[in-house]
Amino acid sequence: MKTRQKRQVCVLLPNKQHLDCTVGVKARGHEVLNSVLKQLGVSELQVFGLTVLRDNEYLFLDLEQKLSKYFGKRWNRGSLMVQFVLFLRVQFYVESGLLIFSSKVQQLYYAELRQKVLQSQSRHQEALFFLLAASALQAEVGDLEQKEENAEEEGGEKRLYFLPEDYFPSWLIKRRGRDFLLKHGPVLHGELRGLSRRRAILQFIKEASSLQDGAVSFYRMSEEKKQLRSSIVLGVALKGVHIYQEVEGKQCLLYDFSWTDIDRFTFQGCRFEISAVGSLCLPKLLYYTPSAFHSKHVLKHLRDSHRYHISTRDALSYILQLEDTQASRFYKEAYICDTTRLTHRLRCNNSLASSMTDCSFAVETTAACSKEEEEEEEVSNTEFEMCVDEPEEFLVDDPAEVSWLAELLPDGPLLLPSSYWAGWFKNRSKISLMINRSFDEHHIIIMCSFIISCHHGNEAGAEEES
């Protein structure tokens, strides 16, 4: 009789492992979460939540609700012989991995981001994928050995120490070709020699946060109530909400709202409204979710994400200041070039053929594409509303009160190459991304440079002037 009151729940982790949890038939979500915490040996998961797959979308569980609400009649009729599947997924994305205290949770976060990068369609950020691949290789392979860099011959074939399919999106492999990635991937990987696994993971997390569709949770919606094909995608991002529209198979960004741009979200059944603040002079945006069940859980995710953003804002600001200080001590550069495609463009233009250098990287920019389908369910008349009110800004007068954040930084400087592609060579020493539009609208030359400079007293100043 007691056996009939037990259910087997399988929790799939981002690293493709799974945990088996046995709970009672009246169990709630937090009982499964407690079992996961115990098996992982951590006190909290911070940025993770349990999700259920419903209509090809991941919905985060309300941990106070009974599991029978999510599995329906199958749960009541089930037994220990039947497994129910939940997924552990990132609920709140972060700009810095130092906000995640546990190294185990940090590695799970990294594992999910790795998959998100491979699925990314941000074709206009091609250079960033090379930096992410280099960080991932350093974290998983370690220092690039000289023999690997030279690709020794074994049995008449080149020995490959990584597969492009494991580190680059499929569209990038198709665009550049495997040979190009195998040739230039190790160049950037080699520049990270000496970086520890932990630092490489932190660097990957920081770089991935700037990927447009990387650190985002997506929900499909439609513009019409009875529209079978979803044309709108709502993304819950780091600092707000993205609204995309699918046009001829291409996913186009319509609105990029920060939390301060939004006045409120309102759900009534499957009807979803976004009201922007008055200063933006935008009308209410009206969309429809697949069901009232979806509406309730999307609203909860939005509310929880906004609260998490508020609660970590000051800690994040302090961490980023520390990282800026650490990173300003280094200077280093590396270049890669697609000479074949660049030479072809130069010859077609009958000019500048002799000016081609080995420090350029041709990129064709295209929009990201995605296509999704779904069905609608019955509409509930219950109305939910969430107001997005940012608390008043305040200053942290005494940074020593949060000095524990400094202890989270690894010993020595933290190398964060691509996050500092913004410019300033002197004093800032950040990574720069310089775009030279000397050709046509469809081709640009990007100089990818890792900038790592040292500034030590008067000697550093003299070196900088020289």
Side-chain angles (χ1 to χ4, degrees):
M1 192 68 179
K2 290 183 179 181
T3 303
R4 293 181 180 179
Q5 298 299 313
K6 298 293 182 180
R7 296 292 181 268
Q8 191 77 16
V9 178
C10 177
V11 180
L12 300 182
L13 306 181
N15 58 7
K16 299 182 180 180
Q17 297 180 0
H18 70 275
L19 301 174
D20 293 324
C21 309
T22 303
V23 296
V25 70
K26 296 183 179 180
R28 301 178 186 271
H30 63 78
E31 295 181 41
V32 177
L33 185 63
N34 290 338
S35 178
V36 171
L37 290 172
K38 184 176 181 181
Q39 294 185 58
L40 289 177
V42 298
S43 58
E44 61 178 331
L45 290 171
Q46 287 187 281
V47 296
F48 281 92
L50 292 174
T51 67
V52 62
L53 192 60
R54 180 70 66 91
D55 296 329
N56 292 323
E57 281 193 342
Y58 293 100
L59 299 179
F60 288 95
L61 270 62
D62 182 345
L63 299 180
E64 298 303 319
Q65 296 293 329
K66 292 183 178 180
L67 295 176
S68 58
K69 178 178 180 179
Y70 296 97
F71 294 111
K73 296 179 180 179
R74 290 192 307 114
W75 179 264
N76 295 325
R77 293 197 303 261
S79 66
L80 283 176
M81 301 300 293
V82 179
Q83 276 198 339
F84 298 90
V85 179
L86 293 176
F87 302 83
L88 188 69
R89 293 180 64 85
V90 175
Q91 188 170 10
F92 313 118
Y93 289 98
V94 295
E95 289 187 67
S96 172
L98 295 175
L99 287 173
I100 305 174
F101 305 140
S102 168
S103 61
K104 289 184 178 180
V105 178
Q106 199 176 87
Q107 290 171 20
L108 288 174
Y109 185 90
Y110 164 78
E112 181 160 332
L113 275 186
R114 282 275 283 113
Q115 296 304 313
K116 297 275 285 186
V117 168
L118 294 180
Q119 297 166 6
S120 172
Q121 294 294 316
S122 296
R123 303 185 183 214
H124 59 290
Q125 295 180 288
E126 182 175 341
L128 181 56
F129 289 99
F130 283 87
L131 299 174
L132 289 167
S135 298
L137 284 168
Q138 184 66 21
E140 297 167 14
V141 178
D143 288 344
L144 177 64
E145 300 295 336
Q146 193 65 35
K147 59 182 180 180
E148 292 174 338
E149 195 170 5
N150 294 333
E152 289 183 334
E153 298 282 342
E154 288 186 358
E157 295 183 358
K158 282 188 176 181
R159 179 178 59 80
L160 305 178
Y161 79 98
F162 79 96
L163 295 176
E165 291 80 5
D166 294 335
Y167 295 91
F168 294 94
S170 58
W171 60 264
L172 183 53
I173 298 174
K174 183 178 180 180
R175 173 187 289 180
R176 292 292 167 190
R178 299 180 85 257
D179 291 341
F180 181 86
L181 302 181
L182 290 170
K183 177 182 178 181
H184 295 291
V187 174
L188 298 183
H189 178 201
E191 296 300 324
L192 300 181
R193 184 178 285 111
L195 198 65
S196 67
R197 170 177 167 78
R198 181 169 182 253
R199 289 183 182 179
I201 288 178
L202 290 174
Q203 177 171 304
F204 184 93
I205 292 173
K206 188 173 184 66
E207 299 299 344
S209 69
S210 61
L211 194 63
Q212 181 176 306
D213 59 354
V216 186
S217 298
F218 294 105
Y219 296 100
R220 296 190 304 275
M221 297 184 180
S222 58
E223 293 183 284
E224 301 294 336
K225 187 174 183 181
K226 296 183 179 181
Q227 186 176 350
L228 296 179
R229 186 183 299 273
S230 297
S231 59
I232 298 296
V233 178
L234 180 142
V236 184
L238 285 164
K239 300 178 180 179
V241 174
H242 298 168
I243 305 293
Y244 301 87
Q245 184 173 28
E246 190 176 88
V247 180
E248 296 181 355
K250 297 181 179 181
Q251 191 169 293
C252 305
L253 181 64
L254 294 180
Y255 302 100
D256 183 358
F257 294 115
S258 67
W259 292 117
T260 54
D261 292 334
I262 301 171
D263 181 44
R264 69 185 64 208
F265 299 106
T266 304
F267 280 106
Q268 184 175 8
C270 60
R271 178 189 173 103
F272 169 54
E273 290 183 2
I274 300 178
S275 300
V277 293
S279 60
L280 296 182
C281 299
L282 288 175
K284 287 185 179 180
L285 303 179
L286 175 61
Y287 304 115
Y288 294 89
T289 64
S291 69
F293 184 84
H294 281 72
S295 297
K296 182 178 179 180
H297 286 79
V298 172
L299 178 63
K300 185 178 186 304
H301 188 195
L302 288 167
R303 180 172 56 246
D304 292 344
S305 295
H306 180 242
R307 289 174 177 172
Y308 184 82
H309 167 74
I310 296 299
S311 65
T312 60
R313 184 173 51 188
D314 295 321
L316 175 63
S317 177
Y318 188 78
I319 287 176
L320 294 180
Q321 289 178 12
L322 291 176
E323 290 179 345
D324 284 344
T325 302
Q326 299 274 348
S328 65
R329 303 177 185 178
F330 295 88
Y331 174 84
K332 201 169 185 179
E333 294 184 353
Y335 304 93
I336 60 177
C337 173
D338 187 349
T339 56
T340 303
R341 187 171 295 192
L342 185 55
T343 302
H344 175 71
R345 290 300 305 165
L346 290 171
R347 287 176 178 173
C348 290
N349 292 333
N350 295 319
S351 63
L352 302 177
S354 62
S355 64
M356 183 184 64
T357 64
D358 290 330
C359 60
S360 59
F361 183 32
V363 181
E364 295 179 9
T365 58
T366 58
C369 302
S370 68
K371 188 177 288 187
E372 297 176 291
E373 295 185 355
E374 59 178 21
E375 300 177 355
E376 289 208 8
E377 295 181 3
E378 295 183 356
V379 180
S380 167
N381 291 322
T382 307
E383 180 174 346
F384 302 91
E385 185 172 278
M386 169 189 168
C387 294
V388 183
D389 297 320
E390 294 277 349
E392 184 178 351
E393 296 284 349
F394 61 92
L395 298 177
V396 182
D397 296 325
D398 185 7
E401 295 179 1
V402 286
S403 60
W404 56 270
L405 290 171
E407 300 176 2
L408 296 176
L409 283 170
D411 295 335
L414 179 62
L415 297 172
L416 299 167
S418 70
S419 311
Y420 302 92
W421 286 29
W424 305 318
F425 179 81
K426 289 186 178 182
N427 300 328
R428 281 307 196 188
S429 305
K430 296 185 177 180
I431 294 218
S432 64
L433 174 62
M434 295 177 289
I435 303 178
N436 180 358
R437 301 184 180 273
S438 59
F439 298 100
D440 55 33
E441 295 178 354
H442 303 290
H443 293 78
I444 59 177
I445 296 181
I446 299 180
M447 299 180 64
C448 309
S449 31
F450 293 102
I451 299 182
I452 308 177
S453 61
C454 296
H455 300 276
H456 293 292
N458 294 330
E459 294 181 1
E463 291 177 4
E464 186 176 331
E465 294 178 358
S466 63

